[in-house]
Amino acid sequence: MKKLTITRPDDWHLHLRDGAVLKDTVPATARIFARAIAMPNLVPPVTTTALALSYRERILAARPQGSHFQPLMTLYLTNNTSPEEIRAAKASGHIYACKLYPAGATTNSDSGVTDVANIYPALEAMQEVGLPLLVHGEVTASHIDIFDREAEFIETVLKPLIERMPNLRVVFEHITTAQAAEFVRNAGDNVAATITVQHLMLNRNDMLVGGMRPHHYCLPVLKREIHRKALVEAAISDSGKFFLGTDSAPHTKDNKESACGCAGMYTAPAAIEWYAEIFEEAGALDKLEGFASHYGPDFYGLPRNTDTITLVKEPWQMAVDLPLAEDRIVPFRAGETIQWHAE
Ligand SMILES: NC(=O)N[C@@H](CC(=O)O)C(=O)O
Ligand SMILES: [Zn+2]
Ligand SMILES: [Zn+2]
C-alpha cells in the first residue's frame, strides 16, 4: 500500500461560518489541519478586534475533545477601517491578516471596500506593523465579463497597489488564472497566493457541460483548462510562493440547488486527500509537503507544525450529503471515490 507522511498541514483560507454550524465545520477541518485562517465574511462581518476575539472563542468551543486546532483570525476591511483598528488587531496577538473584499465581489461582501484608495491609511498601518493583506482579487464593474474579473484586477488594482506599498505582504487568495500565477511568480517575496482544490481539479466545462452544476459554482468562477494547468504548475513549482488554502465555503444544499445558487464549494471533509490526488496525478507527490505544510507558515512568519499526518492510498467514498446544523450540505465530489485517506 502506498503511504506518505508529511508535516501536519494548515489551511490558509477557510470559511467556518458561525453559530450552530460550527459544530460541523470546525471538526471537518480540525480532523487534519493544525491551523486555519478563519475568513471574516460573516453577517455582520468581523470588522473589529473585539468581534474577531469573540468569534475565535466560539470556534475554539466547537473543537472536538482533545483537539489542538487553532483558528487564525482576520479582520474584514471596510471603507472605514482605521489605522488604530489595525494596530489594535496586531497587538491582540490573535489577528494574523486583514481581508480585502471588493464590494459585491462574493458571498457576504456588501460591506466590502468600494475603492482601495479608501483604505490606504489602513493598508499603510498594515505595512508598518506587518499584517498581511489577503485579497479576493476580482473587479466588480458590471461591464467586465465574469471570466475576466481576476485578470482585470491584477492590472487595475493589484499592480498599482503593490507599487504604492512595496513592503505590504499580500496573499492573492484562491487564484484561478495563468495571469495570476505568473503575476505572483514574478512579484517580490512579499507576494504569495493560495490555491484551492477545485481550481486545481476542475475547469469551467465541469460546471456547464451536460447540465448546469451548482455544486461546481464558486468565486472566482472556474476557468478554462489552460488556466487549471497553469495552477497545477504553480502548485508543484516549489517556489515557496504558492500554498494551500481550500476556500472551503459551506452553503446548505437548498441554498446551492436554487434558481440563484450561492457561490462556494465544501471541500473541508477531504481536502488534503484531494490535494494528494492532484499532486500524484501531476507526478509531484514529493512537492505536496512544501505546498501544504511549509510555505504557508514560512510566509506568515509562523513556525511549521512539528507533528505529522500519514496519507494512505486506500480508496473510500465521500457521502452524498452531510449534516450542517439542522440542514444538509452537499460536499465537493459527493458520492465519488477518493483515492487517499489521511490520518
Ligand atoms: N469562494 C466562494 O465562492 N465563496 C466564499 C467567499 C469567497 O471566498 O469569495 C463564501 O464565503 O461562500
Ligand atoms: Zn473570495
Ligand atoms: Zn473564501
Side-chain angles (χ1 to χ4, degrees):
M1 207 181 326
K2 231 169 154 177
K3 267 192 178 186
L4 176 68
T5 296
I6 61 170
T7 303
R8 185 174 295 281
D10 306 297
D11 185 347
W12 300 95
H13 183 136
L14 177 66
H15 301 273
L16 291 166
R17 314 299 190 206
D18 203 356
V21 304
L22 289 176
K23 74 171 173 36
D24 297 309
T25 60
V26 173
T29 288
R31 173 185 74 97
I32 293 296
F33 295 99
R35 298 168 288 196
I37 285 277
M39 286 291 156
N41 61 332
L42 305 182
V43 187
V46 182
T47 51
T48 66
T49 300
L51 287 170
L53 295 182
S54 65
Y55 182 34
R56 177 172 179 271
E57 292 303 323
R58 296 193 294 282
I59 296 169
L60 291 176
R63 291 185 300 185
Q65 214 169 9
S67 167
H68 299 293
F69 173 71
Q70 285 298 325
L72 310 178
M73 308 313 292
T74 58
L75 285 196
Y76 183 117
L77 295 168
T78 72
N79 289 333
N80 303 316
T81 307
S82 67
E84 292 71 41
E85 192 61 59
I86 298 299
R87 291 199 184 89
K90 178 69 181 184
S92 76
H94 288 301
I95 292 165
Y96 290 85
C98 300
K99 183 73 192 265
L100 167 60
Y101 289 103
T106 188
T107 307
N108 301 336
S109 61
D110 295 348
S111 317
V113 173
T114 51
D115 181 344
V116 273
N118 295 333
I119 56 165
Y120 285 158
L123 295 175
E124 274 153 14
M126 288 166 61
Q127 180 172 242
E128 188 189 311
V129 302
L131 264 187
L133 174 70
L134 315 184
V135 194
H136 180 109
E138 289 192 287
V139 297
T140 54
S142 58
H143 67 281
I144 306 290
D145 189 275
I146 192 164
F147 292 101
D148 299 333
R149 289 181 169 199
E150 184 176 278
E152 184 76 11
F153 185 88
I154 297 168
E155 299 304 322
T156 60
V157 183
L158 205 48
K159 278 186 184 168
L161 176 65
I162 288 168
E163 256 165 54
R164 188 184 175 99
M165 295 189 209
N167 296 318
L168 184 64
R169 300 183 73 67
V170 177
V171 185
F172 196 168
E173 298 289 334
H174 49 42
I175 59 168
T176 65
T177 57
Q179 290 93 321
E182 194 195 342
F183 170 73
V184 171
R185 192 178 311 115
N186 296 331
D189 288 346
N190 57 316
V191 180
T194 54
I195 314 183
T196 73
V197 166
Q198 65 264 24
H199 294 108
L200 291 169
M201 272 196 173
L202 306 179
N203 64 41
R204 64 197 202 180
N205 281 13
D206 295 301
M207 177 176 60
L208 295 170
V209 172
M212 202 180 62
R213 294 162 202 277
H215 297 293
H216 286 169
Y217 174 62
C218 70
L219 289 169
V221 74
L222 295 170
K223 304 295 192 302
R224 288 176 183 275
E225 177 65 5
I226 47 162
H227 295 292
R228 190 195 67 80
K229 286 202 172 113
L231 297 176
V232 171
E233 281 309 306
I236 67 173
S237 70
D238 237 354
S239 70
K241 301 192 115 222
F242 302 96
F243 47 83
L244 186 157
T246 63
D247 189 24
S248 178
H251 293 279
T252 64
K253 184 173 196 286
D254 288 350
N255 285 338
K256 290 290 293 176
E257 298 174 6
S258 152
C260 186
C262 292
M265 301 188 204
Y266 188 47
T267 50
I272 195 65
E273 288 88 345
W274 282 313
Y275 281 113
E277 199 168 318
I278 293 156
F279 277 68
E280 183 181 35
E281 209 165 290
L285 257 186
D286 60 321
K287 303 290 196 289
L288 179 65
E289 185 176 37
F291 176 82
S293 315
H294 293 167
Y295 307 143
D298 294 355
F299 182 84
Y300 277 82
L302 295 169
R304 296 175 180 179
N305 295 315
T306 50
D307 61 339
T308 59
I309 61 161
T310 297
L311 285 145
V312 183
K313 189 104 187 250
E314 199 174 60
W316 57 291
Q317 215 79 20
M318 178 49 68
V320 293
D321 61 15
L322 292 165
L324 189 69
E326 302 305 306
D327 290 299
R328 304 299 294 176
I329 184 165
V330 177
F332 185 66
R333 293 206 151 177
E336 291 183 38
T337 301
I338 297 167
Q339 297 304 323
W340 291 86
H341 191 265
E343 50 210 33

